[in-house]
């Protein structure tokens, strides 16, 4: 079969798959892409009374913070201690020999690998 025939069949197959009763391209909402930019409705309220907008934002932030479960936030010292422990564990694992059979439930059996 000639190249022109193959291209023609491929084009017909592609066009047959595109027909679904909608204008092409259906995935590009040009009326939204080309629409003039618009400010949200609450922007005019914020312009008139900035205090009301910040109050509403603070109330919304408090409501969202309340949905978070109210767990305590770790302090910097606790986070630094945890990070140091993780660094120590990572160093021990990186020095562990891959040839040794060390059970996963015994993290203290990680022996430094012999230098090559």
């Amino acid at each position: 079969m000639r190249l022109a025939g193959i291209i023609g069949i491929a084009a017909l197959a592609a066009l047959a798959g595109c027909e679904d009763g909608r204008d092409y391209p259906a995935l590009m909402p040009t009326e939204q892409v080309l629409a003039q930019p618009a400010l949200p409705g609450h922007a005019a309220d914020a312009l008139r009374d900035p205090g009301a907008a910040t109050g509403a934002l603070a109330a919304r932030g408090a409501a969202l913070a309340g949905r978070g479960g109210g767990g305590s936030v770790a302090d910097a010292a606790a986070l630094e201690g945890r990070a140091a422990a993780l660094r120590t564990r990572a160093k021990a694992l990186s020095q562990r020999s891959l040839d040794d059979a060390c059970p996963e439930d015994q993290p203290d059996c990680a022996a430094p690998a012999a230098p090559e």
Side-chain angles (χ1 to χ4, degrees):
M1 187 179 264
R2 294 186 329 201
L3 182 61
I6 293 173
I7 292 174
I9 291 173
L12 285 175
L15 289 175
C18 291
E19 182 58 39
D20 60 357
R22 294 183 294 179
D23 292 336
Y24 180 80
L27 298 178
M28 182 183 290
T30 54
E31 64 275 353
Q32 292 176 3
V33 171
L34 298 175
Q36 292 295 321
L39 292 174
H42 63 275
D45 297 336
L47 183 62
R48 281 192 296 271
D49 186 12
T54 56
L57 286 174
R60 184 171 182 209
L64 290 173
R67 289 177 37 193
S72 63
V73 176
D75 59 344
L79 289 176
E80 189 58 40
R82 177 72 178 137
L86 288 172
R87 280 189 218 101
T88 303
R89 175 73 177 132
K91 184 176 181 181
L93 287 174
S94 70
Q95 294 175 349
R96 182 174 164 183
S97 174
L98 296 177
D99 296 331
D100 294 341
C102 184
E104 288 291 326
D105 60 341
Q106 296 178 0
D108 58 339
C109 79
E116 294 181 15

